[in-house]
Amino acid sequence: MMRHLFPHPMLSATLLLAWLLLAGSLSLNSVLMAAMLAMLIPLLTRAYWPNRPQIRHPLRMVSYLALVLWDVIIANIQVARIILFMPAAQIKSAWITVPVDLPCPEALTLLAGTITLTPGTLTAEFSADNKALLIHALHAPDPDATRDEIKSRYESRLQRIFR
């Protein structure tokens, strides 16, 4: 019965929390609206989610989100330094292909989103077989090191979360 009402419980919880944060209130109206959205949106979109991702270690997801938040803060400082203090001739922008081996499209999307959210990097394209990402880096004097850092820092953690 619960699976029928909440086909994607993580999505429902996220929607509920997001609505309450956006509303900035725990009034009865806000809570009812959040609950309604948390039930209806997953029900209306379940046909587009035929396979639910299996998150094996939800607590690792929390540590992953903390890591990404930290990296976004640090990357903001690094990008500000590059833009403000580095001569344009010394900036080494690069296109980097990052091969990936993630178990589900949701994990791949999370990796691409993480890269894009981190200032100074942008996911530009997925390969047709979803086995590689094309990344643009604002400053990557060693593109191989940037690729390896993405794989070890983010992809390896996502593999442990979703496998």
Side-chain angles (χ1 to χ4, degrees), residues 50-138:
N51 301 318
R52 208 176 12 226
Q54 297 298 314
I55 298 176
R56 302 284 184 217
H57 304 282
L59 290 179
R60 286 186 180 166
M61 181 64 87
V62 173
S63 70
Y64 179 81
L65 293 174
L67 172 77
V68 171
L69 179 62
W70 176 253
D71 286 354
V72 167
I73 293 167
I74 297 301
N76 271 298
I77 296 166
Q78 291 172 337
V79 167
R81 268 201 221 135
I82 291 167
I83 291 171
L84 295 173
F85 303 114
M86 188 177 283
Q90 290 181 0
I91 297 175
K92 305 284 188 222
S93 294
W95 288 99
I96 305 165
T97 300
V98 179
V100 291
D101 181 33
L102 290 168
C104 61
E106 291 81 8
L108 183 63
T109 301
L110 195 53
L111 176 62
T114 299
I115 292 166
T116 300
L117 278 173
T118 307
T121 56
L122 173 74
T123 302
E125 189 172 8
F126 293 84
S127 66
D129 61 359
N130 289 334
K131 294 295 182 188
L133 298 174
L134 180 62
I135 308 297
H136 183 268
L138 172 66

